[in-house]
Amino acid sequence: MLARHVTDPVPPIRTVRRVPAALEEVALRALAKTPADRWPSARAFADALERAATADAERPTVAAAPWWRSRVAQASALAALVLVAVSVGQLVSTSAGRAPRAMSLAIVPFSFEGTPEKLVYADGLANDLVVGLVRENLRVSDPARMEQFRGSSLDPVMIGDSLGVDAILSATVRVAGNAIGVFARLTDVKDGELLWAEQFAGELETDGKLADPSTIVRDLNERILISLLPRLGNRAGQPPRGLGTDDARAYEEYQHGIRALRDVRLGGASLAQRHFELALARDPAFADAWIGLATALDQLLQLSSQAPTSLISRLQEALARASSLDSLHPDLILLRARTRLMFDFDQAGYDREMIRGIRRYANNASLHFGYGQDLHIIGLPDSGIAEVRRAVALEPNHPFRVGYLGSALAATGRADEARVYIDRALAMDSTLWLSWLDRAVLASHAGRPDEAERFAARALDLQANSPWMVGWYLQCAGAATPGTRQRIYEQLLQSAQSGATYVQRVFLAHSHLAMGQTARALDELEASLRVRDRDLFASLGWGVFEQLRGEPRYERVLDAVGLGPAIRRSRGGSDTLQRGICRTSG
């Protein structure tokens, strides 16, 4: 029992009586196991209590002053918390079953107490829970957006409001000696009430043998899901078990790779690739590591670090190995389908894969969004917009997806509705360079070249090192001085000629065309087809090169990737229907 006082997390006060989230946060800090994590002084503690009471007093829809508003009641709450802390060894679970079936939730990075090398347990558990809940077809917020909340002291209600979800799943993971303790809780964003909370414990060593982290995390993950799923309206029972590894070092390398992927720059993708390859060298049957490697290789193709021919075959091998081990992994479906579309130009195979995936994971916003993007590219813009709308409905506060919906609407001539979504996206995230570019597109089509140039320049500032962005800038900033346009154009050519990094030939083709170099644009477009540039298919589908319509070499490229019939059907002679691109100045 004494050991559990040291290792087990403190349960929430709200399992004993109704207490606002702000007050609970203040009190839990006072009872932190580590002295350094507690309030530095009694004055700081008292001031925090006062702020918590004041903050809650300002919340609307309070019919009467609740019991905790007075100083005496606050002291009573702390006494109740102490009583809970004394009985921390007991299983804690709320009896409220108010969670609706359609609940959407976000899993924030778990707080961790222990030595740095044990962080793998907290991160691994959070990652596995995301996949486990998605496999159960639940609405889970994009995990890529959660890193901003790592170490955050924000109230779950504030986090949930910013993400547009119904509930926040958080946890405290403590590792001390041979013991690991997890205290998980599900908070209702609407009123800060605790929907579910439970404590889980495990041992790192059994019968003198150290268990590998993957086994411990999988066991905890399954126990949490079995307890949590009924609260979310899903059936009770054994959740699907992922295919992990029994090799401790392989699992650690895998988690290092996952962390590296959070850095979406070239260095992060390269580092992630190395970690996943080290994991697979130790355990070639580690399905999640194959999926991670495929994701890293796809990022490298996007970031143009190497010629695509050297990466495509490795990507396809990683996808094949992952599919043979875990074909229904939610992270695998879109990546596998898009690889068919972008490099094999297999539209029928892509469509079969995506329809099967969406039927299996109907609440997966990422699948709907990716499918919508691609339907637009292959000549089905209305169907594509419908899928993107579904993605936005599932995750309404995702800035990039909201902005992309504006892009798609602009591309089909619905400028007024497009502006609504583009402005909404920029209000959520002013660094969305694609949405600034969309503003330039709309201004260009409205005959406002100075405004178009200003918005295009803002996009370029945010994405200055992107060869993709240079072509768009040259095309959209028609009011820029000739000297400025020439300088940016020459910088791109020098970067490509230096050989320090690979610049996709399709981007060079776009820039040549924007500068009126038609013959060079056609040369690079054909070269892009030969090497299978990752962004060739999408660039063609968005009509970037429609200025070349009727040019035999261009029409042959369209036919080679399977887009010729769809592009030709979409040609109506109206400039505003050229997939929303800016008017070229060449």
Side-chain angles (χ1 to χ4, degrees), residues 449-450 453 473 476-485 488:
D450 291 338
E453 179 193 348
Y473 174 80
C476 293
T481 64
T484 299
R485 291 166 53 80
I488 293 173

Side-chain angles (χ1 to χ4, degrees), residues 237-252:
Q238 191 74 6
R241 187 181 183 95
L243 297 177
T245 179
D246 293 329
D247 187 295
R249 182 64 182 277
Y251 187 72
E252 290 172 1

Side-chain angles (χ1 to χ4, degrees), residues 13 44 210 231 247 281 366 407 479 496 531:
I13 315 172
L210 187 66
R231 302 286 182 179
D247 187 295
S366 295
S407 298
V531 299

Side-chain angles (χ1 to χ4, degrees), residues 512-531:
H512 289 319
L513 186 62
M515 294 297 288
Q517 303 286 330
T518 302
R520 297 183 72 180
L522 287 166
D523 290 343
E524 293 295 354
L525 202 55
E526 290 172 335
S528 180
L529 175 62
R530 287 194 297 272
V531 299

Side-chain angles (χ1 to χ4, degrees), residues 423-503:
D423 290 347
R424 178 178 153 196
L426 288 170
M428 289 189 280
D429 184 355
S430 62
T431 67
L432 286 175
W433 58 269
L434 183 60
S435 292
W436 285 109
L437 184 62
D438 287 326
R439 279 192 167 184
V441 169
L442 293 172
S444 175
H445 279 280
R448 299 193 297 271
D450 291 338
E451 188 176 316
E453 179 193 348
R454 186 169 69 254
F455 291 147
R458 179 69 183 273
L460 185 65
D461 287 343
L462 292 167
Q463 194 75 359
N465 296 322
S466 168
W468 190 93
M469 187 64 243
V470 171
W472 282 106
Y473 174 80
L474 294 173
Q475 192 169 16
C476 293
T481 64
T484 299
R485 291 166 53 80
Q486 188 67 31
R487 174 177 55 80
I488 293 173
Y489 175 59
E490 289 177 356
Q491 286 175 348
L492 175 64
L493 298 185
Q494 290 171 5
S495 175
Q497 292 165 2
S498 71
T501 186
Y502 175 73
V503 177

Side-chain angles (χ1 to χ4, degrees), residues 12 17 23 41 73 150 212 290 323 329 528 541 570:
R17 54 199 313 178
L23 178 59
S41 66
R150 183 176 292 274
D212 65 275
W290 282 112
S323 298
H329 193 292
S528 180
S570 72

